[in-house]
C-alpha cells in the first residue's frame, strides 16, 4: 500500500511540474522592406533595434530577441520577423517605460542616409502576448 501511495504521489508530482506554464512572453513584428531598400533596413535594425535590445538584456529588461529573415510572398507580404521575449508578465508590462529609457539613453537614430524609417520599412502586423509552451 505504501508503495502504491508513493507511486501515485510521484506520478502526480511529475505531471504537476510538467504541466506548469512557461512564463516567457514575446512580441512579434512582421516587417516589409519597401522599395528594395534592403541596405537601409539592415542598417536601421542592426544599429538601432538590435542595440537597444542588447542594452535591454544587459539591464535585465528583456529575456532575448531575434531577427528572422523570410522570403516575401503575396500570401505573406513581409521580409523580417522581429521577436522580443520577456521573462514574465511583469517584465512585459514594463516594456514601454524601459524602451523609452533606452531610446533616450542611446540617442539619435542611426540612419544610412537621409531616408526616414517609414520610407524603407513598414510593419505589416504585430502580435502581442505570444505565450511560450514548455
Amino acid at each position: 500500500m505504501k508503495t502504491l501511495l508513493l507511486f501515485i504521489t510521484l506520478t502526480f508530482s511529475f505531471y504537476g511540474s510538467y504541466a506548469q506554464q512557461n512564463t516567457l512572453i514575446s512580441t512579434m513584428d512582421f516587417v516589409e522592406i519597401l522599395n528594395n531598400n534592403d541596405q537601409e533596413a539592415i542598417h536601421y535594425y542592426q544599429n538601432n533595434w538590435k542595440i537597444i535590445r542588447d542594452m535591454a538584456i544587459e539591464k535585465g529588461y528583456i529575456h532575448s530577441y531575434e531577427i528572422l529573415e523570410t522570403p516575401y510572398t503575396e500570401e505573406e507580404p513581409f521580409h523580417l520577423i522581429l521577436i522580443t521575449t520577456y521573462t514574465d508578465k511583469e517584465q512585459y508590462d514594463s516594456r514601454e517605460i524601459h524602451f523609452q529609457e533606452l531610446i533616450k539613453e542611446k540617442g539619435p537614430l542611426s540612419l544610412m542616409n537621409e531616408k526616414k524609417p517609414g520610407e524603407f520599412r513598414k510593419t505589416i502586423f504585430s502580435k502581442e502576448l505570444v505565450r511560450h509552451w514548455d
Side-chain angles (χ1 to χ4, degrees), residues 18-131:
Y18 181 74
Q20 288 179 343
Q21 185 174 354
N22 189 322
T23 61
L24 295 177
I25 298 172
S26 290
T27 58
M28 302 174 72
D29 292 325
F30 297 78
V31 177
E32 176 184 5
I33 298 173
L34 303 173
N35 306 316
N36 296 315
N37 285 299
D38 294 20
Q39 294 306 311
E40 285 84 353
I42 289 168
H43 178 89
Y44 174 80
Y45 286 111
Q46 287 184 342
N47 294 285
N48 298 287
W49 193 91
K50 183 180 180 309
I51 286 174
I52 287 173
R53 269 128 189 102
D54 285 338
M55 293 166 66
I57 287 173
E58 206 171 284
K59 290 190 178 223
Y61 293 165
I62 67 171
H63 177 269
S64 61
Y65 67 88
E66 288 185 85
I67 301 176
L68 306 175
E69 186 175 351
T70 184
Y72 179 96
T73 66
E74 294 279 328
E75 299 80 32
E76 299 166 340
F78 50 86
H79 299 93
L80 303 173
I81 303 169
L82 310 173
I83 304 170
T84 304
T85 300
Y86 305 88
T87 303
D88 54 27
K89 183 86 163 71
E90 183 180 332
Q91 205 178 58
Y92 171 83
D93 288 342
S94 301
R95 72 193 183 287
E96 292 302 326
I97 293 166
H98 290 152
F99 279 119
Q100 288 305 315
E101 171 195 323
L102 296 172
I103 289 166
K104 192 180 278 188
E105 186 179 321
K106 181 197 165 293
L109 284 178
S110 174
L111 300 172
M112 193 170 124
N113 49 39
E114 297 302 311
K115 292 181 184 176
K116 302 289 182 213
E119 296 177 66
F120 57 80
R121 56 112 170 127
K122 176 183 174 184
T123 301
I124 302 301
F125 62 92
S126 297
K127 292 296 295 176
E128 296 287 328
L129 286 169
V130 177
R131 300 220 177 250

